[in-house]
C-alpha cells in the first residue's frame, strides 16, 4: 500500500496499488523494489494531476524472499516520489534478514 502526504496541508491519503494495477501486476511488484519505486512515481503524478503540490509518497511493501519470513522490503519513512533511480546503492531498500548462507558454506556444514 501507499501513503500520499500533501505537505502543505498535512492531509494523508491511503492508496491501494489495486487502484492502479491489475492483481497480477500488484503481485509482480510486491518483491521488486524498482517496481515499487515506479509505482510510487505514478501515484505521485496522479495526485499532482489532482491538484496536490509536491505530494510525498511512502510505501508499505513486504516480501518473503528465498525462504525467509515475510518482512518489510522498503523503508516506510522514505518519500519515494523524491528518490532517484540509477545504479547507485539504494538506502531505501531494506536488507533481508537473516542473510543467506552461501551454497558452499551450507554444503560444508552438512559434511561429516
Amino acid at each position: 500500500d501507499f501513503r500520499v502526504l500533501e505537505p502543505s496541508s498535512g492531509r494523508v491519503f491511503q492508496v491501494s496499488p489495486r487502484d492502479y494495477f491489475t492483481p497480477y501486476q500488484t503481485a509482480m511488484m510486491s518483491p521488486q523494489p524498482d517496481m515499487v519505486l515506479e509505482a510510487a512515481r505514478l501515484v505521485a503524478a496522479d495526485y499532482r494531476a489532482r491538484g496536490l503540490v509536491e505530494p510525498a509518497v511512502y510505501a508499505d511493501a513486504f516480501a518473503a524472499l528465498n525462504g525467509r519470513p515475510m518482512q518489510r522490503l522498503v523503508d516506510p519513512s522514505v518519500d519515494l516520489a523524491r528518490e532517484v533511480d540509477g545504479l547507485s546503492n539504494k538506502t531505501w531498500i531494506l536488507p533481508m534478514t537473516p542473510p543467506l548462507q552461501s551454497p558452499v558454506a551450507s554444503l560444508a556444514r552438512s559434511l561429516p
Side-chain angles (χ1 to χ4, degrees):
D1 288 341
F2 296 99
R3 287 175 292 114
V4 177
L5 169 68
E6 181 180 36
S8 61
S9 69
R11 291 189 302 171
V12 177
F13 305 89
Q14 291 297 123
V15 179
S16 171
R18 292 168 206 80
D19 295 341
Y20 294 89
F21 306 104
T22 67
Y24 177 75
Q25 289 171 320
T26 301
M28 295 308 295
M29 174 179 44
S30 170
Q32 299 185 56
D34 59 325
M35 292 179 79
V36 173
L37 177 63
E38 287 303 315
R41 289 180 177 164
L42 185 135
V43 170
D46 180 42
Y47 274 80
R48 276 193 297 276
R50 295 179 189 205
L52 269 67
V53 178
E54 296 303 319
V57 180
Y58 304 93
D60 287 321
F62 294 82
L65 300 174
N66 298 324
R68 294 184 185 100
M70 184 73 69
Q71 55 193 285
R72 194 173 287 281
L73 182 63
V74 174
D75 186 340
S77 67
V78 173
D79 177 6
L80 296 177
R82 308 274 176 280
E83 288 299 313
V84 178
D85 199 10
L87 298 176
S88 63
N89 188 27
K90 312 288 189 287
T91 58
W92 53 271
I93 300 174
L94 299 174
M96 300 304 267
T97 56
L100 289 178
Q101 297 294 321
S102 74
V104 173
S106 297
L107 180 61
R109 280 195 313 270
S110 67
L111 294 175

